[in-house]
Amino acid sequence: MTTTEIEPQLQPAGPLHKTREKMGRRFAYGFLILSITPILIGYTWLVIATISTRTEGLLPRNAQGGIGGFTLRNWDFVTDSAIWNAMLNSLLIAVAMVIGVGIASTAGGYALSRMKFAGRKTFLSMTLVLHAFKAEMLLIAIFFVLRFLGDIPVIGNYIGFNTVGGVALVMIALELPLGIWLMKGFFDNLPWDMERAALIDGASRFRVWWQIMLPQVRPGLAALSLFTFIAGWNAYLVPFTFTVGTKVANMPVFLNQLISDTAPTNWNAVAAVGLFQMIPLLIFFIFTQELLLNIYAGGSKGT
Amino acid sequence: MRVEIENLSKSWDGVIGADNITIDIPDGDMVAFLGPSGCGKTTTLLMVAGIYKPTGGTISFDGRVVNEVAPKDRGIGMVFQSYALYPHMSVFGNISYPLRLQKLDKGDIKQKVQKVADMMGIGDLLDRKIAQLSGGQQQRVSLGRALVKEPQLLLFDEPLSNLDARLRLTMRGEIKRLQKDLGITSIYVTHDQIEAMTMADRIAVMSKGVLQAYDVPEALYDRPKTLFVAGFVGNPPMNFFDVEIMSTNGEFRARSEAIDLVIPRDRAEKAAAVKGKITMGLRPEDVTFADESSSAGAGLTLTGVAEVVEPLGREDLVGVSINGVEMRVLVDKTKGVRVGNNITLVVNTSKLQLFDPETEQSLLWA
Ligand SMILES: Nc1ncnc2c1ncn2[C@@H]1O[C@H](COP(=O)(O)OP(=O)(O)O)[C@@H](O)[C@H]1O
Ligand SMILES: [Mg+2]
């Protein structure tokens, strides 16, 4: 009985089968192409705009209204130290977030997955509920927290209001519920026996976490780091709210500062800064594309 | 190392894992924990390992209570069903891990690992990744990792369950030989009674968290103290019948609507105390197939119809319906029994078992 169930798959696909498969594939590709077209057009415009004085639709226009008028003037900002400062701030925020979220999520996720302690269930449901709150709702409360932190001697200068550290701290806190839940999920999937074996082999609980368990959740940690880095790199609302002036502005905030209320905005220059901001991410994606696909497709496989 | 387990219990708010287990393991012996899955074998083993904290009772190694001793300080090695190897380390990395944690000298570690690996027949695989090994090789690595720290006590939790039947047979022999050669006290958890029977010096049979029997294999087989042990030990399992014992003109008979057998006096008399029905047990191999010509004494034969015939290779396992009561017997293949055949069976009544159906205790072996 079982053999007849398996057989159809073992037989080579007939002609009818093949055409069907082909059509299915065509349909899938058609759908994909159609759905990414608007995005592709958007990016095409972005690139063209950065090297033109003026655009009409996707077409660059020169002063006479003809096609042309290419210029590199929009990119003049790369010689301005302000943008490099903004980029450094973006990088600091993103890296601080990757480190902070990575450490707290792997440690917290492990504890929540493996240990029994009072309030574990409550904590789990609370973090989930907190994650549902939008950051905007908390802005005013966070402002007071940062003001308070700023009053702490010495370290207050690095983590208070209007500091890169303060922004990073807030961003880490907002990212943690997701990070902890994600890492808890990865730890939940690991077998207990491996941990027991290590305890019997002579490892302490901390060593088990560090040497045995962490290497198994590396793909999960890589994915979380990536999400966190992107969230930090593109952070706007929190840095915008808790920083003043250009010194502590990160890239998105700097971009916003280009759009002035009083003078006419050079949109092509704004586009160039936007593209400039994307370059690190693009490079990053190109190199980690394969790894990312593995993470999405295979979970913790590939050890 | 002598291991004494006394009144050991473990429960998780209401769920009972192990209930009041008492087992004394002499130094150098291999003891099997045998029972169906979920009966508390792993729970008990993990308490011996120090992974689970007992809710009651004590565990002593050589007379020293170790309840509060951490797993790493118990001098134990453990082999898991899932192998529990560290997939991000090489074979060498896995086997050397316990030694590296002890901060032994590099040269020493290398030498010890090589020696254990050679003993396990994986000496040339030390650079391999775990994922590049077969199941059997992985289990050897796991065994090597347990042995390399020269433990006083070896714990096995169904180590062969994930291997194919053939490999299981070879590994069974290897583990047994290794254990005897090294003389390490061992606890071997299994649900496979053949493994338990062939490997263990003594077997602890468990059911639902309770220790049913703790004895040498032959005793469990020939003199089962409870109905559970009788039914669980032995393959194919024992047949059970509800009968009443009657004595007529000096003969004892076990009778029910379906069967009527003359049974030995010494066994029958022990059952006399129980009024009404009792449970009689007969192993499939204690029943032989009678040719038409054979003339067994009256009252020692049963007749029925073959309903199921399962070829086991050398023998056929035949399900015989005796006036509506099902009974499994082993029959030589050459007899060529077919479904529907009428069959006469000669019963070796000197081997039969009798149980009180209420208490499920043996009436023969108190
Ligand atoms: N960590 C645990 N928490 C709650 N119940 C458990 C736990 N471990 C085992 N049990 C329960 O204890 C009983 C015995 O389990 P176990 O010792 O694993 O059985 P076995 O190894 O004989 O198959 C089972 O009913 C199981 O559900
Ligand atoms: Mg088990």
Side-chain angles (χ1 to χ4, degrees), chain B residues 176-196:
Chain B
K176 181 63 198 165
R177 190 159 33 81
L178 211 65
Q179 190 268 336
K180 272 280 156 285
D181 287 352
L182 300 172
I184 305 175
T185 314
S186 302
I187 301 178
Y188 189 99
V189 162
T190 178
H191 64 258
D192 178 345
Q193 43 120 358
I194 296 176
E195 253 173 46

Side-chain angles (χ1 to χ4, degrees), chain A residues 49-71:
Chain A
T50 62
I51 49 172
S52 323
T53 33
R54 205 160 57 86
T55 50
E56 249 181 56
L58 283 177
L59 298 178
R61 296 280 184 206
N62 57 19
Q64 288 74 44
I67 291 181
F70 291 108
T71 173

Side-chain angles (χ1 to χ4, degrees), chain B residues 130-156:
Chain B
I130 296 304
Q132 298 168 333
L133 302 180
S134 70
Q137 289 168 329
Q138 291 192 21
Q139 196 53 295
R140 279 165 208 269
V141 175
S142 166
L143 202 53
R145 184 180 63 183
L147 286 172
V148 78
K149 52 189 162 173
E150 293 158 21
Q152 302 282 301
L153 172 64
L154 269 176
L155 307 176
F156 298 88

